[in-house]
């Protein structure tokens, strides 16, 4: 296995695909920024155009302002969104409380590895850096350069090993767990805008494949 450190070199994301509601997603390659909006049209989701096998993924993110109860906004890796056997690594913001973030990972469709982290700030007040480092034998989640979680691969434990896209979305998750996860959707401050900038993906580890393979 190659030294995981070689995968920590990154490059700006140049192209994205928009999975739904393209009019609610704005991408500016020149400034390396993406805007997602949730309003009467619903939310939107973007992803990288290629999968990557291991590496470092990062973005500065400023979450939506106002009463965001019910909404989920995020940055995550997935082998294919909607695939029941997907691998996945998550940063998820839960709209009912913008002082926390949830991390999680899936292997072959099995998750239930959620952890909640106190941010020490309101994620909508300013941009903060969120980083996922994914290597063959460990995953690290970092916020503003501080390690908040590390998972090491162990024998008998499911671990993400499939090439994955970088994704981000904003959506109404209030139907999950009878609104216990993200809270009930209120919508009094719509439209809700989630801002991403300085988005970076691994350099030299892209795996060319179609999104439906």
């Amino acid at each position: 296995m190659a030294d995981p450190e070689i995968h920590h070199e990154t490059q700006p994301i140049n192209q994205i695909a928009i999975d739904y509601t393209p009019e609610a997603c704005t991408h500016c390659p020149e400034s390396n920024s993406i805007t997602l909006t949730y309003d009467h049209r619903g939310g939107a989701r973007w992803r990288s155009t290629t999968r990557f096998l291991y590496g470092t993924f990062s973005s500065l993110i400023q979450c939506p302002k106002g009463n965001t109860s019910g909404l989920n906004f995020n940055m995550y890796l997935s082998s294919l969104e909607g695939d029941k056997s997907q691998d996945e690594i998550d940063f998820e913001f839960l709209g009912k409380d913008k002082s926390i973030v949830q991390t999680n990972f899936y292997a072959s469709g099995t998750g239930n590895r959620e952890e909640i982290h106190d941010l020490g700030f309101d994620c909508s007040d300013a941009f903060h850096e969120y980083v996922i480092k994914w290597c063959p034998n460990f995953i690290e989640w970092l916020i503003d350069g501080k390690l908040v979680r590390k998972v090491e691969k162990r024998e008998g434990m499911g671990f993400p090993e499939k090439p994955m896209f970088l994704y981000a979305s904003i959506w109404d998750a209030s139907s999950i767990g009878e609104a216990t996860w993200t809270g009930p959707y209120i919508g009094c401050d719509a439209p809700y805008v989630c801002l991403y900038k300085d988005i970076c993906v691994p350099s030299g580890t892209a795996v060319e494949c179609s999104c439906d393979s």
Side-chain angles (χ1 to χ4, degrees):
M1 181 70 69
D3 182 352
E5 294 300 322
I6 67 172
H7 298 310
H8 292 328
E9 295 183 4
T10 63
Q11 61 186 355
I13 194 167
N14 293 318
Q15 292 181 306
I16 64 168
I18 303 173
D19 287 344
Y20 58 85
T21 327
E23 62 273 19
C25 179
T26 303
H27 177 216
C28 181
E30 291 77 14
S31 62
N32 189 12
S33 61
I34 300 172
T35 299
L36 287 174
T37 300
Y38 186 92
D39 56 19
H40 64 279
R41 299 168 296 186
R45 183 175 68 218
W46 63 263
R47 60 172 173 81
S48 60
T49 56
T50 55
R51 292 182 176 98
F52 299 87
L53 184 59
Y54 308 121
T56 298
F57 305 79
S58 64
S59 180
L60 296 175
I61 304 173
Q62 183 172 9
C63 296
K65 295 182 179 296
N67 185 341
T68 56
S69 180
L71 297 180
N72 176 299
F73 18 98
N74 52 62
M75 180 182 81
Y76 64 102
L77 310 179
S78 174
S79 53
L80 184 61
E81 179 60 51
D83 182 355
K84 294 186 183 300
S85 64
Q86 69 180 345
D87 286 359
E88 185 174 320
I89 305 172
D90 303 331
F91 266 121
E92 293 187 280
F93 301 94
L94 312 180
K96 67 180 182 181
D97 187 348
K98 289 186 287 185
S99 69
I100 61 172
V101 69
Q102 176 180 287
T103 60
N104 194 10
F105 70 97
Y106 289 74
S108 298
T110 301
N112 299 318
R113 299 175 173 101
E114 299 92 342
E115 288 191 9
I116 298 292
H117 311 273
D118 182 19
L119 291 170
F121 54 81
D122 182 325
C123 63
S124 69
D125 280 349
F127 281 97
H128 292 271
E129 183 186 47
Y130 301 87
V131 178
I132 296 171
K133 288 187 177 182
W134 172 40
C135 289
N137 55 348
F138 68 87
I139 306 165
E140 292 181 342
W141 292 259
L142 300 96
I143 301 173
D144 291 336
K146 178 183 177 181
L147 180 67
V148 297
R149 184 180 182 183
K150 182 173 183 175
V151 172
E152 296 183 346
K153 184 179 181 180
R154 301 190 309 272
E155 185 176 353
M157 179 186 78
F159 192 84
E161 296 178 333
K162 300 174 184 176
M164 294 197 278
F165 296 102
L166 174 65
Y167 280 92
S169 66
I170 182 170
W171 58 291
D172 180 0
S174 61
S175 63
I176 296 178
E178 297 182 344
T180 58
W181 188 40
T182 61
Y185 179 67
I186 306 299
C188 58
D189 294 313
Y192 298 100
V193 178
C194 196
L195 305 173
Y196 301 80
K197 68 178 183 179
D198 297 343
I199 308 133
C200 289
V201 295
S203 57
T205 61
V207 178
E208 299 294 340
C209 50
S210 65
C211 65
D212 57 355
S213 61

